[in-house]
């Protein structure tokens, strides 16, 4: 990351140690805790951090995605009496990885740690992680469930299998060799994060994997085992959408330089839409024996609505539309796609008739132009990023 070295305000060495961790800096460590509906865990987590980091200069930043259970208020209430406790509240946004990145960018501490807010991660590891940085040749320390002293607690066999499969896939695709690249518990030097930040995908759950696979020169990792505990209060946010986002992140890490992962997701959804379209068309035209024009029109509307819903659920999970914005979003999506269809047909016919292009290439070129148009327009108008 040559060009990006200049972004760092901390001297010229991209991996500084001594100066950063000087004994007179007011902060040694920032613990970043992404939260979504973790109100019942905040107080206990701060209490435990206070106990295990006794004598250290630390702060904790809760990055909350506008939880509905008052998590942010709970954090600020503690922050009133304890200035080491801070809250970064994001409105209209979702995403574990992006929350961690923004939290890490919001501190001056030379060391940053990421830790879950549900007390599944063993806080006793934090001082041991810090100690590892006495060695200037250490870039990042990872809490691992799969080395000596580590474990997954009472996970069911299905969850163990999924975790192992995801780990295997990650190793294959990103060349990251680590016993537990899926871990959400780690500590690194802030200047390294700063240098990598512009290249991070920020999609989904796997922030550690994102960091490790973005680094051009492999980061020097140490692993420390810990027992993954059961969640304290509240419930897990892991869902099937998270699995989809995980694959999208791997796609971005593998091909991201050429095709944006979101476009790949958008196209996969579009491909599924074709099946929906054909199924509806078949039902109306062949089974119910309706007029073909009517059947095709209804099939188009159903497929567009299906695509809109699925994109809102998966592709744009981080800025999902809700409430009345679903209606305006749906309208703008259908409008954009209708124009996309006209562009599609125009290009295909032009290539076919004026250039004698083979029907299959003409057809595909039309589909590609339509897809790029739909993606570009809906990303700006339907799912515009909020400022
Ligand atoms: N800000 C924010 N935004 N925080 C979120 C979001 C979100 O969209 N989704 C989840 N979180 C927070 C949760 O509130 C919790 O503090 C933490 O991220 C982990 O979420 P869990 O729902 O408890 O995830 P998990 O226990 O299934 O997954 C954990 O274990 C995995 C290893 O199997 C996490 O540590 C993963 O990062 C880890 O890979
Ligand atoms: Mn959890």
């Amino acid at each position: 990351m040559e060009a990006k070295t200049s972004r760092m305000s901390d001297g010229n060495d991209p991996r500084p140690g001594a100066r950063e961790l000087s004994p007179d800096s007011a902060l040694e460590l920032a613990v970043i805790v992404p939260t979504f509906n973790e109100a019942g865990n905040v107080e206990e987590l701060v209490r435990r951090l206070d106990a295990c980091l006794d004598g250290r200069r630390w702060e904790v930043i809760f990055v909350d995605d506008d939880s509905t259970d008052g998590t942010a208020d709970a954090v600020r209430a503690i922050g009133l009496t304890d200035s080491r406790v801070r809250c970064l509240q994001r409105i209209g946004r979702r995403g574990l990885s992006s929350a961690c990145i923004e939290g890490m960018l919001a501190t001056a501490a030379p060391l940053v740690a990421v830790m879950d807010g549900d007390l599944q991660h063993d806080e006793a590891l934090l001082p041991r992680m810090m100690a590892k940085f006495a060695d200037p040749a250490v870039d990042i320390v990872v809490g691992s469930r799969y080395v000596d002293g580590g474990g997954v607690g009472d996970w069911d066999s299905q969850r163990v299998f999924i975790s192992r499969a995801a780990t295997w896939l990650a190793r294959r695709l990103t060349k990251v060799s680590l016993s537990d690249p899926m871990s959400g518990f780690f500590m690194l030097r802030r200047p390294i994060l700063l240098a990598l930040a512009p290249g991070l995908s920020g999609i989904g759950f796997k922030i550690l994997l994102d960091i490790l696979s973005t680094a051009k020169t492999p980061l020097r990792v140490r692993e420390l085992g810990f027992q993954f505990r059961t969640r304290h209060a509240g419930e897990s946010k892991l869902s099937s959408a998270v699995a989809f986002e995980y694959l999208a992140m791997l796609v971005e890490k593998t091909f991201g330089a050429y095709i944006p992962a979101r476009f790949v997701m958008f196209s996969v959804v579009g491909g599924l839409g074709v099946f929906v379209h054909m199924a509806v068309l078949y039902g109306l035209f062949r089974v119910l024996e309706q007029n073909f024009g009517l059947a095709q029109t209804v099939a188009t509307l159903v497929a567009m609505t299906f695509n809109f819903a699925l994109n809102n659920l998966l592709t744009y999970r981080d800025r999902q539309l809700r409430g009345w914005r679903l209606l305006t979003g749906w309208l703008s999506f259908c409008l954009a796609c209708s124009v996309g269809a006209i562009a599609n047909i125009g290009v295909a016919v032009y290539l076919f008739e004026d250039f004698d292009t083979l029907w299959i290439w003409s057809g595909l070129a039309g589909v590609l132009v339509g897809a790029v148009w739909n993606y570009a327009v809906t990303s700006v108008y339907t799912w515009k990023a909020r400022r």
Side-chain angles (χ1 to χ4, degrees), residues 33-38 63-65 90 93-96 99 115-118 120-121 145 155 159 163 182-185 205-207 228 231 235-238 317:
V33 183
T35 55
F36 188 70
N37 291 342
E38 303 288 0
V63 187
D64 185 61
D65 281 348
R90 308 195 304 170
R93 305 265 308 282
R94 275 302 299 275
L96 178 48
M115 185 179 187
D116 286 354
D118 56 2
Q120 289 196 277
H121 293 154
R145 297 158 294 177
W155 268 9
R159 175 89 201 244
S163 178
M182 299 294 141
S183 176
F185 188 23
F205 245 53
K206 302 304 174 190
I207 173 65
F228 199 72
R231 173 175 262 283
E235 49 196 52
S236 173
K237 282 88 205 173
L238 205 79
R317 205 173 98 87

Side-chain angles (χ1 to χ4, degrees), residues 59-368:
E59 67 176 352
V60 56
I61 303 178
F62 289 87
V63 187
D64 185 61
D65 281 348
D66 211 14
S67 299
T68 48
D69 71 346
T71 304
D73 287 335
V75 173
R76 282 185 289 253
I78 304 174
L80 263 182
T81 55
D82 185 342
S83 59
R84 299 171 303 182
V85 179
R86 297 169 53 199
C87 174
L88 199 152
Q89 185 173 359
R90 308 195 304 170
I91 313 277
R93 305 265 308 282
R94 275 302 299 275
L96 178 48
S97 280
S98 61
C100 294
I101 296 168
E102 284 160 43
M104 289 188 274
L105 292 174
T107 181
L111 289 177
V112 285
V114 167
M115 185 179 187
D116 286 354
D118 56 2
L119 304 166
Q120 289 196 277
H121 293 154
D122 184 358
E123 61 286 340
L125 218 60
L126 290 170
R128 293 179 48 209
M129 286 174 161
M130 288 176 83
K132 292 275 178 206
F133 289 95
D135 179 354
V138 172
D139 295 326
I140 182 165
V141 181
V142 176
S144 168
R145 297 158 294 177
Y146 304 128
V147 296
D148 269 357
V152 292
D154 56 358
W155 268 9
D156 56 34
S157 55
Q158 192 193 350
R159 175 89 201 244
V160 172
F161 172 77
I162 293 174
S163 178
R164 295 258 174 195
T167 304
W168 176 84
L169 195 63
R171 290 216 188 103
R172 289 298 302 264
L173 287 179
T174 63
K175 300 173 210 82
V176 165
S177 64
L178 191 67
S179 79
D180 194 0
M182 299 294 141
S183 176
F185 188 23
F186 57 91
M187 188 183 290
L188 80 165
R189 298 184 195 275
R190 190 176 52 80
I192 294 177
L193 185 273
L194 226 54
L196 296 176
L200 296 175
S201 99
I203 301 176
F205 245 53
K206 302 304 174 190
I207 173 65
L208 175 62
L209 194 58
D210 199 353
I211 291 174
L212 293 173
S213 58
T214 299
K216 293 252 167 56
T217 30
L219 297 185
R220 294 164 298 179
V221 188
R222 295 286 178 283
E223 295 189 88
L224 284 175
F226 80 100
Q227 290 290 332
F228 199 72
R229 295 187 293 225
T230 43
R231 173 175 262 283
H232 187 69
E235 49 196 52
S236 173
K237 282 88 205 173
L238 205 79
S239 62
S240 42
V242 166
F244 186 77
E245 282 184 325
Y246 175 62
L247 295 177
M249 200 267 281
L250 290 183
V251 166
E252 175 130 325
K253 284 291 136 203
T254 318
F255 308 107
Y258 317 101
I259 318 170
R262 238 193 256 275
F263 180 66
V264 176
M265 292 197 255
F266 192 85
S267 305
V268 170
V269 169
L272 294 176
V274 174
F275 285 100
V276 171
H277 182 109
M278 296 315 280
V280 174
L281 182 62
Y282 178 83
L284 288 176
F285 181 63
R286 294 297 297 275
V287 181
L288 299 176
E289 296 180 346
Q290 298 295 312
N291 161 285
F292 181 79
L294 176 74
Q296 174 75 355
T297 309
V298 173
T300 305
L301 268 173
V302 171
M304 282 202 291
T305 306
F306 168 83
N307 280 6
F308 169 72
L310 213 56
N311 276 318
N312 194 45
L313 225 59
L314 299 175
T315 317
Y316 289 101
R317 205 173 98 87
D318 58 335
R319 32 183 133 137
Q320 213 169 75
L321 306 176
R322 289 162 203 275
W324 65 269
R325 293 181 69 222
L326 271 172
L327 187 69
T328 51
W330 176 77
L331 276 173
S332 71
F333 184 83
C334 291
L335 198 68
C337 293
S338 308
V339 178
I342 295 172
N344 167 347
I345 296 166
V347 167
V349 171
Y350 180 65
L351 287 178
F352 183 71
E353 291 185 346
D354 293 9
F355 285 93
D356 270 344
T357 313
L358 197 67
W359 67 272
I360 190 162
W361 299 127
S362 307
L364 279 176
V367 167
L368 189 67

